[in-house]
Amino acid sequence: MGAVVSTLRHVRYAAHHRKRKRMNLPLDNKPRKPPPPATPLTFPRHEPKDVSSYGADVELDILKLFKNLLPNAPFTPNYVSVLNLHVNRDLPLTQILSEQYLPLSLWQREASDAIVGLAGHSIHPPVLNDGSPGPEYEHYTAFVKELLFDNEDVFYTIERRKLEWQRKHVKLVHFRRFYQELHVVAGYWDTSLDNVTPPAQKTPPESPSTAPTPSVDTATPSSPPSTNPEHTYMGRRISTGSDLPPSFQHRLICEFIYPIIRAFGCHFDTPRTQPYLSLQTLRIPISLAGMIFRVPKERPTSDKESMEGPLLVIQTRPQTKFGDGEGSAAILDILKEVGCMLLIAQYRAREGKKEVIDNADKWFVTKPRWGGGTGLAVGQPLGFGSIDEVAEEKMLQHRVREKSDEPPTKKRTPGRRSLRTSKQKDGGLPKVGRVEKSIMAPTPKWDRRVKYLRIGKPDEDFDDIFMISCVNHHISILRLRVHEKYLDYILNGGDPSGQPWFELPMERSRWFDLFNPKDRREAMNGIWGVMSYMMRP
């Protein structure tokens, strides 16, 4: 199955790269018309207030607050405070995760120095909770070596351009697709080579009376000034960051994470249908890029329960303007993050439970809807006959054709297309009649491919939810602790006032820039630590 998935990914990305090759990205040293101005980097930063700081006149009923939300209405701080969210920002990785799950300090050296320092030593990989061995030390050093490559060297390798002075081709094995996506995103965000040249001023012509008489021994005349009235641009950008397609941002973060999770035997998957967060009687749509699941050790023969988890979630957001911390854009952004993490908490809480399908025992899914009267079939024209006559005539025609040796004629009479019927289902009723007569139960909402498990849950009433959040070309690692009674509260309601479990403590790292090699390495250390924590035995 892994070979099939790898082949499908290869075919999909081969088509994508052929399409991107036709974009004709301009070279850095080719003057051209300037692109739109660069988009300034801004990040959402909203500080939630405590619930106790509000008065009694403020509505803090979670169901009533979200139910009365109007389209295009601004978000107020009440929407965050009603969740009793507490955020600790810009934390180092050692405060989000224990140091025993992060890569060793010896591993954080560059690959060449680490290999020399560990000559003659052996590092045994840890055992994961599915019984398989964890990633070896060579995996980590290979990842670090590729992530620390200079961007210019990588782009020269991807473009297959002729090397210039102090440039070299690099060997990309694990993160080649990530760098290919980074090269595309650089056409929108990378301003390191921006150089805009203003138009040259045209010298006014001199009058004949004041013009000096040229001498005979004058050298070659000076070059005429430029007549281009527009600015010229030299750089890498073809547009601005706010115009970056969301699919490019999605592929960038997924290709950065994929080699790391594959080292732990996990799989990245996107939901087949639109995911919804259950908030009592409300179903709120949630936007997410994908989820990470554990691959079962014994592969099933079908796609049923072919993934276990989820372990963590990935979310990308194309917005680039967030305003100040109290603005509606910043509040909406943190609501997207919290809603996505609560959705994963509800998914993990399905462990050991069976889906209860809504309205599965109602009369309209258990009893036939067909009245059985003497009228015509649904969709049947007048004068064609009753239901019994239609069924009897169609069955008789079908038996005559079975006994006849002549091939069926393809000639159709006018109007026969609308009277086309099925000869083997429901006695020859028209298609509209078969739909009306059919009885179907509601569609299940749980994904049949997933075996919902709380992998990595500590031996407490709390569950640790991790998310990788992406904004612009930066990522941040988030951790949220959710109590089981808190999940029961948002599903069934109640009065959580004064309860010790009514709290959502969130810890998040700083924003790591994927254009910065050192930030790429630190972000990889954080994702490595999250996977080590969730896959611990």
Side-chain angles (χ1 to χ4, degrees), residues 475-491:
I475 65 173
S476 178
I477 300 175
L478 286 71
R479 179 178 181 176
L480 185 71
R481 292 177 60 84
V482 184
H483 199 278
E484 294 181 356
K485 294 184 178 180
Y486 191 98
L487 292 178
D488 183 71
Y489 159 67
I490 64 176
L491 282 175

mmCIF file with all atom_site columns, all heavy atoms in Angstrom, residues 475-491:
data_model
loop_
_atom_site.group_PDB
_atom_site.id
_atom_site.type_symbol
_atom_site.label_atom_id
_atom_site.label_alt_id
_atom_site.label_comp_id
_atom_site.label_asym_id
_atom_site.label_entity_id
_atom_site.label_seq_id
_atom_site.pdbx_PDB_ins_code
_atom_site.Cartn_x
_atom_site.Cartn_y
_atom_site.Cartn_z
_atom_site.occupancy
_atom_site.B_iso_or_equiv
_atom_site.pdbx_formal_charge
_atom_site.auth_seq_id
_atom_site.auth_comp_id
_atom_site.auth_asym_id
_atom_site.auth_atom_id
_atom_site.pdbx_PDB_model_num
ATOM 1   N N   . ILE A 1 475 ? 5.335   29.117 10.286 1.00 0.00 ? 475 ILE A N   1
ATOM 2   C CA  . ILE A 1 475 ? 4.582   28.101 11.006 1.00 0.00 ? 475 ILE A CA  1
ATOM 3   C C   . ILE A 1 475 ? 4.821   28.265 12.498 1.00 0.00 ? 475 ILE A C   1
ATOM 4   O O   . ILE A 1 475 ? 5.856   28.792 12.934 1.00 0.00 ? 475 ILE A O   1
ATOM 5   C CB  . ILE A 1 475 ? 4.936   26.663 10.553 1.00 0.00 ? 475 ILE A CB  1
ATOM 6   C CG1 . ILE A 1 475 ? 6.397   26.341 10.907 1.00 0.00 ? 475 ILE A CG1 1
ATOM 7   C CG2 . ILE A 1 475 ? 4.677   26.471 9.085  1.00 0.00 ? 475 ILE A CG2 1
ATOM 8   C CD1 . ILE A 1 475 ? 6.764   24.892 10.635 1.00 0.00 ? 475 ILE A CD1 1
ATOM 9   N N   . SER A 1 476 ? 3.842   27.818 13.264 1.00 0.00 ? 476 SER A N   1
ATOM 10  C CA  . SER A 1 476 ? 3.914   27.840 14.721 1.00 0.00 ? 476 SER A CA  1
ATOM 11  C C   . SER A 1 476 ? 3.328   26.537 15.252 1.00 0.00 ? 476 SER A C   1
ATOM 12  O O   . SER A 1 476 ? 2.390   25.981 14.661 1.00 0.00 ? 476 SER A O   1
ATOM 13  C CB  . SER A 1 476 ? 3.148   29.046 15.281 1.00 0.00 ? 476 SER A CB  1
ATOM 14  O OG  . SER A 1 476 ? 3.181   29.050 16.699 1.00 0.00 ? 476 SER A OG  1
ATOM 15  N N   . ILE A 1 477 ? 3.880   26.063 16.355 1.00 0.00 ? 477 ILE A N   1
ATOM 16  C CA  . ILE A 1 477 ? 3.444   24.806 16.974 1.00 0.00 ? 477 ILE A CA  1
ATOM 17  C C   . ILE A 1 477 ? 2.603   25.144 18.197 1.00 0.00 ? 477 ILE A C   1
ATOM 18  O O   . ILE A 1 477 ? 3.039   25.896 19.073 1.00 0.00 ? 477 ILE A O   1
ATOM 19  C CB  . ILE A 1 477 ? 4.651   23.936 17.355 1.00 0.00 ? 477 ILE A CB  1
ATOM 20  C CG1 . ILE A 1 477 ? 5.467   23.610 16.101 1.00 0.00 ? 477 ILE A CG1 1
ATOM 21  C CG2 . ILE A 1 477 ? 4.206   22.657 18.048 1.00 0.00 ? 477 ILE A CG2 1
ATOM 22  C CD1 . ILE A 1 477 ? 6.743   22.845 16.382 1.00 0.00 ? 477 ILE A CD1 1
ATOM 23  N N   . LEU A 1 478 ? 1.376   24.597 18.255 1.00 0.00 ? 478 LEU A N   1
ATOM 24  C CA  . LEU A 1 478 ? 0.426   24.892 19.320 1.00 0.00 ? 478 LEU A CA  1
ATOM 25  C C   . LEU A 1 478 ? 0.105   23.620 20.091 1.00 0.00 ? 478 LEU A C   1
ATOM 26  O O   . LEU A 1 478 ? 0.080   22.522 19.529 1.00 0.00 ? 478 LEU A O   1
ATOM 27  C CB  . LEU A 1 478 ? -0.876  25.476 18.755 1.00 0.00 ? 478 LEU A CB  1
ATOM 28  C CG  . LEU A 1 478 ? -0.877  26.916 18.259 1.00 0.00 ? 478 LEU A CG  1
ATOM 29  C CD1 . LEU A 1 478 ? -0.101  27.067 16.973 1.00 0.00 ? 478 LEU A CD1 1
ATOM 30  C CD2 . LEU A 1 478 ? -2.314  27.414 18.076 1.00 0.00 ? 478 LEU A CD2 1
ATOM 31  N N   . ARG A 1 479 ? -0.146  23.806 21.375 1.00 0.00 ? 479 ARG A N   1
ATOM 32  C CA  . ARG A 1 479 ? -0.566  22.710 22.256 1.00 0.00 ? 479 ARG A CA  1
ATOM 33  C C   . ARG A 1 479 ? -1.754  23.175 23.095 1.00 0.00 ? 479 ARG A C   1
ATOM 34  O O   . ARG A 1 479 ? -1.699  24.236 23.715 1.00 0.00 ? 479 ARG A O   1
ATOM 35  C CB  . ARG A 1 479 ? 0.579   22.263 23.165 1.00 0.00 ? 479 ARG A CB  1
ATOM 36  C CG  . ARG A 1 479 ? 0.209   21.144 24.136 1.00 0.00 ? 479 ARG A CG  1
ATOM 37  C CD  . ARG A 1 479 ? 1.393   20.719 24.962 1.00 0.00 ? 479 ARG A CD  1
ATOM 38  N NE  . ARG A 1 479 ? 1.070   19.634 25.886 1.00 0.00 ? 479 ARG A NE  1
ATOM 39  C CZ  . ARG A 1 479 ? 1.955   19.019 26.682 1.00 0.00 ? 479 ARG A CZ  1
ATOM 40  N NH1 . ARG A 1 479 ? 3.230   19.398 26.648 1.00 0.00 ? 479 ARG A NH1 1
ATOM 41  N NH2 . ARG A 1 479 ? 1.582   18.047 27.477 1.00 0.00 ? 479 ARG A NH2 1
ATOM 42  N N   . LEU A 1 480 ? -2.814  22.401 23.116 1.00 0.00 ? 480 LEU A N   1
ATOM 43  C CA  . LEU A 1 480 ? -4.030  22.727 23.858 1.00 0.00 ? 480 LEU A CA  1
ATOM 44  C C   . LEU A 1 480 ? -4.415  21.546 24.721 1.00 0.00 ? 480 LEU A C   1
ATOM 45  O O   . LEU A 1 480 ? -4.457  20.406 24.251 1.00 0.00 ? 480 LEU A O   1
ATOM 46  C CB  . LEU A 1 480 ? -5.166  23.063 22.886 1.00 0.00 ? 480 LEU A CB  1
ATOM 47  C CG  . LEU A 1 480 ? -6.482  23.551 23.488 1.00 0.00 ? 480 LEU A CG  1
ATOM 48  C CD1 . LEU A 1 480 ? -6.307  24.958 24.046 1.00 0.00 ? 480 LEU A CD1 1
ATOM 49  C CD2 . LEU A 1 480 ? -7.606  23.538 22.454 1.00 0.00 ? 480 LEU A CD2 1
ATOM 50  N N   . ARG A 1 481 ? -4.695  21.824 25.988 1.00 0.00 ? 481 ARG A N   1
ATOM 51  C CA  . ARG A 1 481 ? -5.123  20.783 26.925 1.00 0.00 ? 481 ARG A CA  1
ATOM 52  C C   . ARG A 1 481 ? -6.631  20.902 27.123 1.00 0.00 ? 481 ARG A C   1
ATOM 53  O O   . ARG A 1 481 ? -7.141  21.942 27.554 1.00 0.00 ? 481 ARG A O   1
ATOM 54  C CB  . ARG A 1 481 ? -4.391  20.920 28.262 1.00 0.00 ? 481 ARG A CB  1
ATOM 55  C CG  . ARG A 1 481 ? -2.909  20.613 28.155 1.00 0.00 ? 481 ARG A CG  1
ATOM 56  C CD  . ARG A 1 481 ? -2.196  20.819 29.487 1.00 0.00 ? 481 ARG A CD  1
ATOM 57  N NE  . ARG A 1 481 ? -2.731  19.962 30.530 1.00 0.00 ? 481 ARG A NE  1
ATOM 58  C CZ  . ARG A 1 481 ? -2.374  18.695 30.736 1.00 0.00 ? 481 ARG A CZ  1
ATOM 59  N NH1 . ARG A 1 481 ? -1.474  18.136 29.944 1.00 0.00 ? 481 ARG A NH1 1
ATOM 60  N NH2 . ARG A 1 481 ? -2.891  17.997 31.710 1.00 0.00 ? 481 ARG A NH2 1
ATOM 61  N N   . VAL A 1 482 ? -7.334  19.814 26.789 1.00 0.00 ? 482 VAL A N   1
ATOM 62  C CA  . VAL A 1 482 ? -8.796  19.805 26.828 1.00 0.00 ? 482 VAL A CA  1
ATOM 63  C C   . VAL A 1 482 ? -9.251  18.720 27.796 1.00 0.00 ? 482 VAL A C   1
ATOM 64  O O   . VAL A 1 482 ? -8.829  17.557 27.688 1.00 0.00 ? 482 VAL A O   1
ATOM 65  C CB  . VAL A 1 482 ? -9.394  19.556 25.427 1.00 0.00 ? 482 VAL A CB  1
ATOM 66  C CG1 . VAL A 1 482 ? -10.909 19.658 25.469 1.00 0.00 ? 482 VAL A CG1 1
ATOM 67  C CG2 . VAL A 1 482 ? -8.821  20.535 24.411 1.00 0.00 ? 482 VAL A CG2 1
ATOM 68  N N   . HIS A 1 483 ? -10.109 19.095 28.733 1.00 0.00 ? 483 HIS A N   1
ATOM 69  C CA  . HIS A 1 483 ? -10.668 18.136 29.687 1.00 0.00 ? 483 HIS A CA  1
ATOM 70  C C   . HIS A 1 483 ? -11.859 17.410 29.068 1.00 0.00 ? 483 HIS A C   1
ATOM 71  O O   . HIS A 1 483 ? -12.566 17.946 28.206 1.00 0.00 ? 483 HIS A O   1
ATOM 72  C CB  . HIS A 1 483 ? -11.101 18.863 30.961 1.00 0.00 ? 483 HIS A CB  1
ATOM 73  C CG  . HIS A 1 483 ? -11.265 17.960 32.148 1.00 0.00 ? 483 HIS A CG  1
ATOM 74  N ND1 . HIS A 1 483 ? -12.411 17.223 32.370 1.00 0.00 ? 483 HIS A ND1 1
ATOM 75  C CD2 . HIS A 1 483 ? -10.416 17.665 33.170 1.00 0.00 ? 483 HIS A CD2 1
ATOM 76  C CE1 . HIS A 1 483 ? -12.272 16.527 33.487 1.00 0.00 ? 483 HIS A CE1 1
ATOM 77  N NE2 . HIS A 1 483 ? -11.065 16.776 33.994 1.00 0.00 ? 483 HIS A NE2 1
ATOM 78  N N   . GLU A 1 484 ? -12.085 16.178 29.515 1.00 0.00 ? 484 GLU A N   1
ATOM 79  C CA  . GLU A 1 484 ? -13.208 15.398 28.989 1.00 0.00 ? 484 GLU A CA  1
ATOM 80  C C   . GLU A 1 484 ? -14.547 16.058 29.304 1.00 0.00 ? 484 GLU A C   1
ATOM 81  O O   . GLU A 1 484 ? -15.476 16.022 28.482 1.00 0.00 ? 484 GLU A O   1
ATOM 82  C CB  . GLU A 1 484 ? -13.167 13.987 29.572 1.00 0.00 ? 484 GLU A CB  1
ATOM 83  C CG  . GLU A 1 484 ? -11.955 13.174 29.124 1.00 0.00 ? 484 GLU A CG  1
ATOM 84  C CD  . GLU A 1 484 ? -11.973 11.782 29.705 1.00 0.00 ? 484 GLU A CD  1
ATOM 85  O OE1 . GLU A 1 484 ? -12.883 11.492 30.518 1.00 0.00 ? 484 GLU A OE1 1
ATOM 86  O OE2 . GLU A 1 484 ? -11.085 10.984 29.362 1.00 0.00 ? 484 GLU A OE2 1
ATOM 87  N N   . LYS A 1 485 ? -14.672 16.663 30.474 1.00 0.00 ? 485 LYS A N   1
ATOM 88  C CA  . LYS A 1 485 ? -15.917 17.334 30.822 1.00 0.00 ? 485 LYS A CA  1
ATOM 89  C C   . LYS A 1 485 ? -16.120 18.604 30.007 1.00 0.00 ? 485 LYS A C   1
ATOM 90  O O   . LYS A 1 485 ? -17.259 19.025 29.791 1.00 0.00 ? 485 LYS A O   1
ATOM 91  C CB  . LYS A 1 485 ? -15.941 17.651 32.325 1.00 0.00 ? 485 LYS A CB  1
ATOM 92  C CG  . LYS A 1 485 ? -15.989 16.412 33.202 1.00 0.00 ? 485 LYS A CG  1
ATOM 93  C CD  . LYS A 1 485 ? -16.115 16.783 34.674 1.00 0.00 ? 485 LYS A CD  1
ATOM 94  C CE  . LYS A 1 485 ? -16.209 15.523 35.545 1.00 0.00 ? 485 LYS A CE  1
ATOM 95  N NZ  . LYS A 1 485 ? -16.328 15.869 36.981 1.00 0.00 ? 485 LYS A NZ  1
ATOM 96  N N   . TYR A 1 486 ? -15.035 19.214 29.544 1.00 0.00 ? 486 TYR A N   1
ATOM 97  C CA  . TYR A 1 486 ? -15.171 20.382 28.677 1.00 0.00 ? 486 TYR A CA  1
ATOM 98  C C   . TYR A 1 486 ? -15.768 19.972 27.335 1.00 0.00 ? 486 TYR A C   1
ATOM 99  O O   . TYR A 1 486 ? -16.621 20.684 26.783 1.00 0.00 ? 486 TYR A O   1
ATOM 100 C CB  . TYR A 1 486 ? -13.804 21.046 28.482 1.00 0.00 ? 486 TYR A CB  1
ATOM 101 C CG  . TYR A 1 486 ? -13.869 22.409 27.831 1.00 0.00 ? 486 TYR A CG  1
ATOM 102 C CD1 . TYR A 1 486 ? -13.837 23.563 28.601 1.00 0.00 ? 486 TYR A CD1 1
ATOM 103 C CD2 . TYR A 1 486 ? -13.973 22.541 26.453 1.00 0.00 ? 486 TYR A CD2 1
ATOM 104 C CE1 . TYR A 1 486 ? -13.908 24.818 28.013 1.00 0.00 ? 486 TYR A CE1 1
ATOM 105 C CE2 . TYR A 1 486 ? -14.050 23.790 25.852 1.00 0.00 ? 486 TYR A CE2 1
ATOM 106 C CZ  . TYR A 1 486 ? -14.016 24.923 26.642 1.00 0.00 ? 486 TYR A CZ  1
ATOM 107 O OH  . TYR A 1 486 ? -14.102 26.159 26.054 1.00 0.00 ? 486 TYR A OH  1
ATOM 108 N N   . LEU A 1 487 ? -15.334 18.835 26.810 1.00 0.00 ? 487 LEU A N   1
ATOM 109 C CA  . LEU A 1 487 ? -15.929 18.336 25.574 1.00 0.00 ? 487 LEU A CA  1
ATOM 110 C C   . LEU A 1 487 ? -17.396 17.991 25.760 1.00 0.00 ? 487 LEU A C   1
ATOM 111 O O   . LEU A 1 487 ? -18.217 18.231 24.876 1.00 0.00 ? 487 LEU A O   1
ATOM 112 C CB  . LEU A 1 487 ? -15.156 17.104 25.089 1.00 0.00 ? 487 LEU A CB  1
ATOM 113 C CG  . LEU A 1 487 ? -13.720 17.340 24.610 1.00 0.00 ? 487 LEU A CG  1
ATOM 114 C CD1 . LEU A 1 487 ? -13.077 16.021 24.216 1.00 0.00 ? 487 LEU A CD1 1
ATOM 115 C CD2 . LEU A 1 487 ? -13.695 18.308 23.440 1.00 0.00 ? 487 LEU A CD2 1
ATOM 116 N N   . ASP A 1 488 ? -17.728 17.433 26.914 1.00 0.00 ? 488 ASP A N   1
ATOM 117 C CA  . ASP A 1 488 ? -19.136 17.125 27.191 1.00 0.00 ? 488 ASP A CA  1
ATOM 118 C C   . ASP A 1 488 ? -19.952 18.403 27.315 1.00 0.00 ? 488 ASP A C   1
ATOM 119 O O   . ASP A 1 488 ? -21.129 18.440 26.945 1.00 0.00 ? 488 ASP A O   1
ATOM 120 C CB  . ASP A 1 488 ? -19.229 16.294 28.473 1.00 0.00 ? 488 ASP A CB  1
ATOM 121 C CG  . ASP A 1 488 ? -20.657 15.876 28.774 1.00 0.00 ? 488 ASP A CG  1
ATOM 122 O OD1 . ASP A 1 488 ? -21.193 15.024 28.043 1.00 0.00 ? 488 ASP A OD1 1
ATOM 123 O OD2 . ASP A 1 488 ? -21.244 16.410 29.739 1.00 0.00 ? 488 ASP A OD2 1
ATOM 124 N N   . TYR A 1 489 ? -19.332 19.472 27.806 1.00 0.00 ? 489 TYR A N   1
ATOM 125 C CA  . TYR A 1 489 ? -20.044 20.747 27.959 1.00 0.00 ? 489 TYR A CA  1
ATOM 126 C C   . TYR A 1 489 ? -20.377 21.368 26.596 1.00 0.00 ? 489 TYR A C   1
ATOM 127 O O   . TYR A 1 489 ? -21.514 21.818 26.381 1.00 0.00 ? 489 TYR A O   1
ATOM 128 C CB  . TYR A 1 489 ? -19.196 21.708 28.788 1.00 0.00 ? 489 TYR A CB  1
ATOM 129 C CG  . TYR A 1 489 ? -19.550 23.162 28.596 1.00 0.00 ? 489 TYR A CG  1
ATOM 130 C CD1 . TYR A 1 489 ? -20.772 23.673 29.015 1.00 0.00 ? 489 TYR A CD1 1
ATOM 131 C CD2 . TYR A 1 489 ? -18.657 24.040 27.967 1.00 0.00 ? 489 TYR A CD2 1
ATOM 132 C CE1 . TYR A 1 489 ? -21.096 25.007 28.830 1.00 0.00 ? 489 TYR A CE1 1
ATOM 133 C CE2 . TYR A 1 489 ? -18.973 25.364 27.779 1.00 0.00 ? 489 TYR A CE2 1
ATOM 134 C CZ  . TYR A 1 489 ? -20.191 25.846 28.207 1.00 0.00 ? 489 TYR A CZ  1
ATOM 135 O OH  . TYR A 1 489 ? -20.516 27.158 28.014 1.00 0.00 ? 489 TYR A OH  1
ATOM 136 N N   . ILE A 1 490 ? -19.431 21.382 25.660 1.00 0.00 ? 490 ILE A N   1
ATOM 137 C CA  . ILE A 1 490 ? -19.715 21.990 24.364 1.00 0.00 ? 490 ILE A CA  1
ATOM 138 C C   . ILE A 1 490 ? -20.626 21.102 23.513 1.00 0.00 ? 490 ILE A C   1
ATOM 139 O O   . ILE A 1 490 ? -21.224 21.578 22.548 1.00 0.00 ? 490 ILE A O   1
ATOM 140 C CB  . ILE A 1 490 ? -18.411 22.301 23.604 1.00 0.00 ? 490 ILE A CB  1
ATOM 141 C CG1 . ILE A 1 490 ? -17.651 21.009 23.282 1.00 0.00 ? 490 ILE A CG1 1
ATOM 142 C CG2 . ILE A 1 490 ? -17.556 23.267 24.370 1.00 0.00 ? 490 ILE A CG2 1
ATOM 143 C CD1 . ILE A 1 490 ? -16.410 21.248 22.455 1.00 0.00 ? 490 ILE A CD1 1
ATOM 144 N N   . LEU A 1 491 ? -20.757 19.819 23.880 1.00 0.00 ? 491 LEU A N   1
ATOM 145 C CA  . LEU A 1 491 ? -21.664 18.936 23.151 1.00 0.00 ? 491 LEU A CA  1
ATOM 146 C C   . LEU A 1 491 ? -23.076 18.955 23.713 1.00 0.00 ? 491 LEU A C   1
ATOM 147 O O   . LEU A 1 491 ? -24.053 18.966 22.959 1.00 0.00 ? 491 LEU A O   1
ATOM 148 C CB  . LEU A 1 491 ? -21.131 17.503 23.162 1.00 0.00 ? 491 LEU A CB  1
ATOM 149 C CG  . LEU A 1 491 ? -19.994 17.173 22.196 1.00 0.00 ? 491 LEU A CG  1
ATOM 150 C CD1 . LEU A 1 491 ? -19.506 15.754 22.427 1.00 0.00 ? 491 LEU A CD1 1
ATOM 151 C CD2 . LEU A 1 491 ? -20.448 17.342 20.751 1.00 0.00 ? 491 LEU A CD2 1
#
